[in-house]
Amino acid sequence: MRCLAAACLLIFTTTLHARQLLVFVSAPPLQYLAEHVGGTAVAVESVVPPGQNPVSYDPSPQQLQRFADAALYVRSGLPFEAAWLQRFENLNPGMAVLDARLGLPVAADATHVHGSGGGELDPHVWTSPLNAVEISRRMQQALTRLAPQHAELFADNQQRLQRRLEMLHRELARQLQQHAGARLLAYHPAWGYFAQTYGLQQLAIERDGKEPGPRQLVSLIEEVRREPVACLLAQPQFSDRSARVVAAELGIELVYTDPLAYDLPASLLQVAAAVAGSCHE
């Protein structure tokens, strides 16, 4: 009987996966959103796995093979896409592509300490819960076009996720309301949308994707001494060498955060707690 039950379960699981839409996303936070919207009707995979560098990551041969079966790809402008997006589309010309940045307010990658030069736009659009709500709506629309038989499921899931994200936004706003104008220093400029949403200023150690030289580090430290920062953020995908030097010189805590973490609410709450807990009054 147990063998029969196991065989039935295997058949059910295989059939379920065969009916699911395969969705690829650029990064784990988008996987979080897509899975919550798509529910059991979708199978979602992130091109960049947790902990991997989105600048230098190359998809595995197994991932590339699976792109041939994908119904949807959700992009965000992460650096690896410049080299790979066209290849993804060539592998599967019928695959729909959704840009997660579509219709969202534009944020520069950072407010730099030195100079007024711009830089590329920040692809980490999900670091604002309000952006995440809009992204989830666009995901719902895209999935409904691909699988209209699941329209009600997608709509219900999106509404449930939207309520959760709006509650998260209210909690973040409550934690940060007394710290408007505070400056957070990040090694890699990944928190621009978060800062923009909650009235903070993001400063970046990294410039144009390059680690600063000794002279730039000295200048940065002098600037921050004149205008203190709330906290210094590092992330696991990048070297923390320069960040550790700055933290030691300034005597401030180095907080490790991950803007590419799957658990989006937890990562945003961590940054808010770091800002609120170390702001200079």
Side-chain angles (χ1 to χ4, degrees):
M1 289 295 292
R2 274 184 287 184
C3 291
L4 178 61
C8 290
L9 178 60
L10 178 61
I11 293 171
F12 173 77
T13 303
T14 304
T15 304
L16 176 62
H17 286 314
R19 292 201 305 260
Q20 287 179 314
L21 288 175
L22 176 58
V23 177
F24 270 99
V25 299
S26 61
L30 293 176
Q31 181 180 3
Y32 173 91
L33 297 177
E35 287 183 343
H36 279 75
V37 173
T40 56
V42 303
V44 186
E45 299 181 19
S46 173
V47 176
V48 179
Q52 293 295 313
N53 189 324
V55 175
S56 58
Y57 183 74
D58 287 333
S60 69
Q62 292 79 11
Q63 286 178 311
L64 295 177
Q65 287 178 352
R66 287 183 57 71
F67 258 97
D69 299 320
L72 175 67
Y73 176 62
V74 184
R75 62 173 303 201
S76 62
L78 287 172
F80 81 91
E81 290 179 320
W84 284 98
L85 181 58
Q86 187 60 58
R87 302 188 205 185
F88 297 159
E89 294 178 308
N90 291 342
L91 286 167
N92 186 348
M95 177 181 66
V97 177
L98 172 65
D99 194 325
R101 301 166 294 181
L102 189 65
L104 299 178
V106 173
D109 64 349
T111 302
H112 293 296
V113 174
H114 311 292
S116 57
E120 295 185 358
L121 299 181
D122 183 353
H124 306 83
V125 289
W126 52 79
T127 59
S128 165
L130 301 181
N131 282 357
V133 167
E134 183 58 31
I135 294 168
S136 74
R137 290 197 192 106
R138 299 298 173 93
M139 287 178 170
Q140 177 203 342
Q141 294 166 1
L143 291 174
T144 299
R145 286 192 294 270
L146 293 166
Q149 69 273 24
H150 296 302
E152 185 175 352
L153 171 68
F154 298 148
D156 290 345
N157 286 349
Q158 191 280 328
Q159 285 296 308
R160 191 176 300 111
L161 175 60
Q162 179 169 334
R163 289 193 292 270
R164 183 175 184 180
L165 292 170
E166 288 173 344
M167 186 181 302
L168 172 65
H169 169 61
R170 290 192 293 271
E171 173 59 21
L172 293 170
R174 183 193 66 79
Q175 291 187 30
L176 295 169
Q177 63 182 346
Q178 297 179 359
H179 308 297
R183 307 194 321 160
L184 59 90
L185 179 62
Y187 173 76
H188 183 70
W191 300 100
Y193 288 96
F194 180 89
Q196 185 180 64
T197 300
Y198 300 108
L200 308 172
Q201 299 178 56
Q202 178 186 226
L203 311 177
I205 294 177
E206 181 189 80
R207 292 294 303 270
D208 301 321
K210 299 176 182 177
E211 194 163 343
R215 184 177 301 177
Q216 291 171 307
L217 271 182
V218 170
S219 180
L220 171 83
I221 290 167
E222 291 175 352
E223 179 70 19
V224 174
R225 278 187 176 137
R226 289 193 293 270
E227 290 188 66
V229 297
C231 55
L232 199 168
L233 306 178
Q235 67 183 81
Q237 294 86 2
F238 298 93
S239 168
D240 64 353
R241 182 176 57 186
S242 296
R244 285 188 283 109
V245 170
V246 173
E249 285 293 325
L250 295 173
I252 59 177
E253 182 182 5
L254 182 59
V255 180
Y256 289 87
T257 60
D258 188 358
L260 299 178
Y262 173 84
D263 192 340
L264 178 60
S267 67
L268 300 186
L269 287 167
Q270 182 191 12
V271 176
V275 174
S278 56
C279 267
H280 295 266
E281 302 295 341

